[in-house]
Amino acid sequence: MFAGAGDIYVALVDRTNFDAPNQASHQLKLTPTKAQRSHGSIRFSFENVAVGSYAIKTFLDENGNGELDMGMFGPQEPWAIFQPASSSWGAPDFEEVKFLLDSSMSNIELLLE
């Protein structure tokens, strides 16, 4: 779910590329339609993903530069991670937000804030 304009980037990452901003096991760039923007939601899926531990990270690229802009106190654009970390300060650790993907998953909801 999102509010605002811009492409939405969604990355499925494993432990090896969790901290690398431009690397992912699978990555999508979604350009919402007018109807999706009006509704504030968009669907996505990843195909042919191997069984393993992953995290999902996403952000709304409001300024169109293709990257999540960071400021002194964290992200400057709406972003989300599936299964948010328990700590509200600092960047989450992979171990806090990972999940085991061993079959088809559906209905994952991410709120870009």
Side-chain angles (χ1 to χ4, degrees):
M1 303 181 87
F2 65 96
D7 291 328
I8 297 172
Y9 288 81
V10 184
L12 182 68
V13 297
D14 59 24
R15 182 184 323 276
T16 62
N17 54 29
F18 181 74
D19 292 320
N22 296 315
Q23 295 180 11
S25 301
H26 294 77
Q27 188 167 1
L28 300 171
K29 176 183 175 184
L30 308 170
T31 302
T33 65
K34 185 176 181 178
Q36 290 167 329
R37 288 193 192 289
S38 175
H39 189 260
S41 67
I42 190 168
R43 292 185 172 275
F44 66 90
S45 64
F46 293 106
E47 304 291 329
N48 302 315
V49 178
V51 170
S53 292
Y54 296 95
I56 297 177
K57 304 188 300 184
T58 184
F59 73 95
L60 177 63
D61 187 17
E62 293 179 318
N63 64 3
N65 67 354
E67 56 189 55
L68 177 59
D69 296 317
M70 300 296 288
M72 182 180 295
F73 299 107
Q76 299 296 301
E77 295 175 296
W79 68 282
I81 293 181
F82 179 59
Q83 297 188 164
S86 57
S87 172
S88 61
W89 290 99
D93 181 80
F94 180 77
E95 292 300 315
E96 292 180 287
V97 297
K98 73 178 181 180
F99 61 90
L100 177 63
L101 178 62
D102 60 0
S103 64
S104 178
M105 293 179 68
S106 61
N107 298 323
I108 292 173
E109 188 171 301
L110 299 161
L111 179 59
L112 294 166
E113 298 183 300

